[in-house]
Amino acid sequence: MATRRVTVETGTVSFDHGAQYLPASDSAFAHTMRAAAGRGWLSDDTLVGVPGMSSLPRALADGLNISQQVEITRLVHQDDCWHLTGPKGQYSARSVVLAIPAPQARALLGDADPLAADLSRVIMSPCLALMAALPTDSPRPFPHRVDPAHPLAWIAQDSSKPGRSAAAVAWVAQAGPAFSAMHLEQTPEAIAALMLPLLCDVIGADPDQMLHVQAHRWRYAQTAKPLGQPFLQDHGRSLYVGGDWCLGPRAEHAWHSGREIAREIRESAHVV
Ligand SMILES: Cc1cc2nc3c(=O)[nH]c(=O)nc-3n(C[C@H](O)[C@H](O)[C@H](O)COP(=O)(O)OP(=O)(O)OC[C@H]3O[C@@H](n4cnc5c(N)ncnc54)[C@H](O)[C@@H]3O)c2cc1C
């Protein structure tokens, strides 16, 4: 659930370059989304974050002690304690919750880890996204379009969502799985050069009028084969591993996984 804000000559414009909206297929998640809408973090009818998709996680994180932009590159369990290392420093903890894509969790824990085999069963596929801003008098043929047969399987006019800036017409195009896999290793510039003509063709825009163009590579975007249970756990090491990939491809699956991990931690703390 990511929002990218950029300044163009007509003002600031934002793109939801990850999740576009929040379908809720079960009542517990739907209830939480309604509560979020009641607090103004989400638009009830369109199920999008306001003023961006990142508003919801930002609001949920309010008051918590969170360090952002901190990569962990090494994770070692020694003497009943976790030691976490990254370019910005070292941390230690009694318990660790790894809520990152399964292939990244597997890489961090290592092939010899007891959870590695379960993590390997999960299959995640990439998605290439294009962000493009156009002047306000440019064509706006639709608010969003889904066409699995087109290389740009999902196209959204992000500026048509509630609470967005009117400084420009913001488009986000997400390539389908085949196109994304084929061009995954190209540079963001090369990916943008491939996707922009396709987008302009669909929306009837002039590429020379672009105020901003940028591609983003999501390497682990969509869960193609989930784990089939809400999380993985190693009780002896107080390690929990979860994320959307446990149960499915959407934010609500991540929410369910996280909630079940929290429940487990609370229950085990109670037992102690
Ligand atoms: C293009 C795209 C479109 C999507 N559209 C929708 C949609 O419309 N609706 C919907 O419900 N879902 C959608 N999804 C899926 C949704 O975004 C995910 O289900 C959800 O974000 C998963 O949440 P998560 O917390 O499990 O993992 P993530 O959101 O992947 O969060 C994991 C975080 O861990 C961080 N991380 C990874 N490794 C490390 C490390 N070593 N150290 C520190 N941090 C690390 C990552 O940077 C990331 O911030 C979409 C996803 C993509 C990519």
Side-chain angles (χ1 to χ4, degrees):
M1 295 179 63
T3 303
R4 175 83 47 90
R5 287 179 183 79
V6 297
T7 302
V8 298
E9 57 202 60
T10 51
T12 300
V13 58
S14 70
F15 305 91
D16 297 326
H17 58 308
Q20 281 286 333
Y21 74 119
L22 290 167
S25 65
D26 92 357
S27 56
F29 187 65
H31 177 78
T32 301
M33 292 303 100
R34 275 196 300 277
R39 302 177 83 159
W41 304 336
L42 196 75
S43 140
D44 209 359
D45 46 345
T46 52
L47 297 171
V48 300
V50 179
M53 284 302 280
S54 62
S55 307
L56 180 63
R58 202 183 298 279
L60 293 173
D62 191 35
L64 302 179
N65 180 9
I66 295 181
S67 303
Q68 290 186 294
Q69 307 297 324
V70 178
E71 188 190 4
I72 298 301
T73 50
R74 200 168 127 82
L75 192 60
V76 177
H77 190 249
Q78 210 169 32
D79 304 328
D80 260 356
C81 183
W82 283 102
H83 302 275
L84 296 80
T85 313
K88 292 191 180 168
Q90 295 195 335
Y91 309 81
S92 56
R94 192 176 66 80
S95 304
V96 163
V97 178
L98 269 185
I100 63 179
Q104 291 178 306
R106 193 195 150 165
L108 202 51
L109 289 169
D111 288 347
D113 192 275
L115 300 184
D118 281 332
L119 289 167
S120 304
R121 287 195 281 119
V122 176
I123 299 174
M124 302 190 78
S125 55
C127 177
L128 301 180
L130 182 76
M131 295 161 264
L134 278 155
T136 49
D137 60 355
S138 62
R140 305 173 191 226
F142 48 78
H144 68 265
R145 184 187 102 139
V146 186
D147 181 357
H150 193 272
L152 305 187
W154 171 277
I155 300 174
Q157 189 200 135
D158 268 13
S159 41
S160 71
K161 295 176 177 175
R164 268 46 175 191
S165 154
V169 185
W171 292 94
V172 172
Q174 294 168 3
F179 183 98
S180 297
M182 187 183 303
H183 301 292
L184 183 63
E185 301 307 338
Q186 299 200 20
T187 62
E189 293 74 21
I191 293 166
L194 279 173
M195 293 177 73
L196 184 62
L198 296 170
L199 175 67
C200 288
D201 187 45
V202 174
I203 62 172
D206 177 355
D208 293 336
Q209 284 207 317
M210 288 293 158
L211 301 171
H212 178 81
V213 183
Q214 190 177 9
H216 187 87
R217 181 167 43 188
W218 296 103
R219 192 173 286 279
Y220 305 110
Q222 290 286 319
T223 305
K225 184 174 163 231
L227 178 71
Q229 63 189 67
F231 61 94
L232 290 170
Q233 171 180 20
D234 184 333
H235 194 68
R237 291 183 291 165
S238 201
L239 171 68
Y240 307 84
V241 193
D244 61 345
W245 51 268
C246 291
L247 298 169
R250 292 193 303 276
E252 70 170 313
H253 300 118
W255 181 84
H256 273 284
S257 174
R259 193 176 64 150
E260 292 307 312
I261 291 175
R263 196 197 304 271
E264 177 66 27
I265 290 173
R266 281 170 62 164
E267 280 173 10
S268 54
H270 189 67
V271 168
V272 172

